[in-house]
Amino acid sequence: MNNDDKSLVQSYYESHHKEGQRLNQSFLESIRGQLFSDWIGTNKKVLDLGGRDGTLTKYFIKKNNVTLADIDENALEYAKRNYKVETMKVDLNQSLPFQDNSFDIVVMAEVLEHLPYPNITLGEIRRVLKTNGEFIGNLPLAYHLKDRWQIIRGRKLLISGDPTHLQFLSYEDAQKLISNFFNLEEITILKGGKLSNKFPKMFARNIAFRCVNKNS
């Protein structure tokens, strides 16, 4: 990817975040914020990939050393100004600008579904995580029962409503992809209704995950 491509991607996401009113908003903000804060704990060196303006990041900044990384410089400036967090512009489709074994925790919330080359990014996350480091995050799922009904009716998948979504993963797809790089320790269903805990493959529409680095 050359510099012109990178500028185009950056401009697109800055426009997408602004026009979609996605800044200062976060899906299930308090629920995810508390969950991630509990998983992370304190006194950790944390990398938040794709954290935009820090709306979710603010929940785990206290008593942690957090770096927020994103391609949207406007969002990063907001986070730096309002939450006093260290920020860095990154392109998640390339090598991450961090040394091996640098972080105790890597967070990637509502980002995996946007990546054209998730294997590249997941491999880089594994590289920058310390031994016994944890990878946590969440993502929306496709091909649950509600999506299948959409298809039968001749409509698009629910997840395809966002033009920046590139990965359409079922519950099993997500498990397999993440497990190729990490030991998957825990899955929490964030959206899917009462039956999703008993039948996650059919009803889960959004999941949070906690993994341990396979290098450990």
Side-chain angles (χ1 to χ4, degrees), residues 134-145:
E134 294 191 355
F135 172 46
I136 70 173
N138 79 288
L139 75 155
L141 299 176
Y143 305 111
H144 42 75
L145 201 58

Side-chain angles (χ1 to χ4, degrees), residues 37-84:
S37 178
D38 290 343
W39 279 350
I40 292 169
T42 58
N43 301 313
K44 303 290 177 56
K45 188 175 182 182
V46 181
L47 173 62
D48 186 6
L49 291 175
R52 294 190 310 191
D53 61 346
T55 299
L56 190 65
T57 321
K58 66 187 178 188
Y59 286 86
F60 46 85
I61 290 174
K62 188 176 181 180
K63 296 184 179 179
N64 287 305
N65 178 4
V66 180
T67 299
L68 193 163
D70 201 287
I71 199 169
D72 185 339
E73 288 184 301
N74 293 330
L76 291 175
E77 178 58 33
Y78 180 93
K80 186 174 184 178
R81 182 173 64 251
N82 288 277
Y83 304 122
K84 312 303 180 185

Side-chain angles (χ1 to χ4, degrees), residues 6-59:
K6 286 191 287 187
S7 297
L8 181 62
V9 171
Q10 179 183 344
S11 298
Y12 181 83
Y13 267 99
E14 289 178 350
S15 175
H16 176 67
H17 291 160
K18 184 177 180 180
E19 292 176 4
Q21 297 182 333
R22 288 170 169 82
L23 298 179
N24 305 313
Q25 297 183 26
S26 185
F27 169 73
L28 295 179
E29 177 187 325
S30 60
I31 293 174
R32 289 193 300 150
Q34 186 59 58
L35 177 64
F36 291 170
S37 178
D38 290 343
W39 279 350
I40 292 169
T42 58
N43 301 313
K44 303 290 177 56
K45 188 175 182 182
V46 181
L47 173 62
D48 186 6
L49 291 175
R52 294 190 310 191
D53 61 346
T55 299
L56 190 65
T57 321
K58 66 187 178 188
Y59 286 86

Side-chain angles (χ1 to χ4, degrees), residues 72-132:
D72 185 339
E73 288 184 301
N74 293 330
L76 291 175
E77 178 58 33
Y78 180 93
K80 186 174 184 178
R81 182 173 64 251
N82 288 277
Y83 304 122
K84 312 303 180 185
V85 64
E86 181 180 348
T87 62
M88 181 173 290
K89 178 184 172 184
V90 299
D91 182 344
L92 293 180
N93 302 307
Q94 299 191 26
S95 298
L96 295 176
F98 306 105
Q99 297 294 319
D100 295 0
N101 309 309
S102 295
F103 296 94
D104 300 301
I105 307 281
V106 174
V107 178
M108 197 165 70
E110 297 279 311
V111 175
L112 183 59
E113 68 275 13
H114 297 273
L115 302 176
Y117 311 110
N119 287 326
I120 292 176
T121 309
L122 292 174
E124 281 293 287
I125 291 171
R126 183 171 63 185
R127 178 183 67 78
V128 302
L129 269 176
K130 295 179 181 178
T131 299
N132 297 319

